[in-house]
Amino acid sequence: MQAVVIDSGSVRAGERPDPVPSESELLVAVEAAGVNSADLLQRAGLYPPPPGSPVDIPGMECAGTVVAVGTNASRHRVGDRVMGLVGGGGQAELCLVEDSVAISVPSHLSWPEAGGFPEVFTTAHDALFTQCHLAAGERLLVTGAAGGVGLAAVQLGREARASVVASVRRAELRDAVHTFGPEAVIDPDDEASHGPYDVIIELVGAATLGAHVKALSTGGRIVFIGVGGSGSRSEIDALQLMAKRAVVRGSTLRSRSLADKAATRVALEADALVWLAREAVRVPVEAVYPFGQAQEAYERFAAGGKLGKIILVSEPA
Ligand SMILES: NC(=O)c1ccc[n+]([C@@H]2O[C@H](COP(=O)([O-])OP(=O)(O)OC[C@H]3O[C@@H](n4cnc5c(N)ncnc54)[C@H](OP(=O)(O)O)[C@@H]3O)[C@@H](O)[C@H]2O)c1
């Protein structure tokens, strides 16, 4: 099969053996696969894939048609349209997806939208609801809100009837972010004046942790999901945490067990997939590139200033 392969710090098209499904896996003919910052880190040799995933084919999510099923894979059949999280290898003509993790693609969703759904919506959903127990009526701050995870978090928070504040550093993207339904779209410098917040999802980094602890309400929760924007180190006043009975936590998805990943799929089905099927939430796609232009797609991701996702799509045979 053709695949995007990592080669000396770049990505290029290459030939790799067709994968063979185990008894619990689906073999998927990939139509679209999202690009994520983990792929860029892996390209740079900084984020090795978990055991069992292809070592040099990036891609943490994909969508396509099932072409073969393992003997114990009973949730899907050949011909089904599926999307799902994978430990790696999503950016290839063929990809193995665990049956227990695979999600049926709603009929209205395009392939690029389906290819960009699993990673950012699973991450945002897990952070908001499983980690931070966001409830209706609570106030949510989403940092880095114009990106893939950010726009997922804004929409999920809104649908859960939280009051959502979206923090976006680029003024030219704020009107577009507003169309995803937050109560306010603000400059990061104005975050404190729009609080206090019950939940803060940190997609930028730790530099603002001290200010964010200060901006929490009593019983507030902060969850670290990404630190690529401002780094992983910070100093906080523990007395403020104590006084507010606040929680600061962190979470990653990729290294989790199969059972944990299947649990995230079940959690999504309870509400987010219903909202997606109803078109109440959407997958914002900034740009689509064929697999053969993976290097350009990665550079577009790295350049920033995008609204949502960068997607790779398979090329006609
Ligand atoms: N823990 C997990 O399991 C998990 C899963 C998925 C993603 N992540 C992480 O979560 C983060 C967000 O992912 P994503 O896919 O949404 O990335 P993304 O699409 O690149 O979005 C990141 C957003 O943060 C903004 N940003 C970057 N540096 C900033 C700064 N210093 N101040 C203010 N805003 C800044 C970017 O704005 P510009 O466009 O202006 O640069 C962009 O809008 C990444 O760090 C990623 O690695 C973690």
Side-chain angles (χ1 to χ4, degrees):
M1 66 169 181
Q2 283 287 306
V4 174
V5 295
I6 296 172
D7 184 2
S8 313
S10 307
V11 284
R12 61 168 175 82
E15 191 71 30
R16 288 291 179 273
D18 288 1
V20 178
S22 70
E23 36 181 52
S24 62
E25 289 173 321
L26 311 171
L27 182 65
V28 174
V30 175
E31 295 285 348
V35 176
N36 289 284
S37 52
D39 301 325
L40 277 70
L41 291 174
Q42 192 176 336
R43 179 180 68 162
L46 299 174
Y47 195 4
S53 296
V55 289
D56 66 348
I57 308 176
M60 317 233 302
E61 59 185 343
C62 67
T65 305
V66 177
V67 291
V69 296
T71 48
N72 287 343
S74 55
R75 294 184 58 248
H76 296 95
R77 290 194 233 167
V78 169
D80 283 358
R81 276 162 45 98
V82 297
M83 55 189 177
L85 293 174
V86 291
Q91 294 166 10
E93 264 182 329
L94 293 168
C95 179
L96 299 173
V97 181
E98 286 288 344
D99 188 40
S100 62
V101 171
I103 299 167
S104 298
V105 176
S107 56
H108 76 277
L109 217 60
S110 68
W111 282 125
E113 290 168 324
F117 176 85
E119 177 70 16
V120 295
F121 274 86
T122 306
T123 298
H125 191 276
D126 186 77
L128 295 182
F129 304 118
T130 306
Q131 310 287 330
C132 288
H133 308 286
L134 178 69
E138 288 195 315
R139 193 156 180 84
L140 165 68
L141 173 64
V142 179
T143 62
V149 180
L151 285 172
V154 165
Q155 296 180 86
L156 294 173
R158 183 207 66 213
E159 285 302 303
R161 302 191 199 294
S163 88
V164 181
V165 177
S167 174
V168 176
R169 70 169 161 182
R170 293 189 195 240
E172 69 273 19
L173 290 179
R174 291 192 197 123
D175 283 349
V177 172
H178 225 293
T179 66
F180 291 83
E183 184 183 298
V185 184
I186 62 167
D187 186 282
D189 287 344
D190 298 330
E191 286 168 355
S193 61
H194 284 75
Y197 304 103
D198 301 293
V199 172
I200 299 177
I201 177 166
E202 298 276 11
L203 300 173
V204 169
T208 45
L209 179 58
H212 284 169
V213 168
K214 217 168 167 183
L216 277 182
S217 54
T218 300
R221 293 85 73 197
I222 294 176
V223 60
F224 272 93
I225 295 299
V227 294
S230 74
S232 60
R233 294 186 175 270
S234 193
E235 196 167 287
I236 58 168
D237 183 346
L239 280 174
Q240 283 179 4
L241 277 185
M242 292 157 64
K244 293 183 176 187
R245 300 190 298 282
V247 174
V248 180
R249 58 183 305 159
S251 171
T252 62
L253 207 52
R254 189 181 202 181
S255 57
R256 291 197 201 177
S257 68
L258 178 56
D260 272 9
K261 287 184 182 169
T264 64
R265 189 264 303 162
V266 171
L268 280 177
E269 281 173 352
D271 48 30
L273 288 167
V274 179
W275 298 331
L276 180 69
R278 246 189 238 151
E279 302 185 48
V281 301
R282 55 196 160 106
V283 185
V285 174
E286 168 74 29
V288 176
Y289 296 81
F291 278 141
Q293 289 175 24
Q295 184 71 10
E296 288 90 327
Y298 279 45
E299 293 314 319
R300 176 66 193 88
F301 190 104
K306 60 190 182 53
L307 187 74
K309 297 285 299 185
I310 304 296
I311 306 291
L312 290 166
V313 291
S314 63
E315 287 151 285

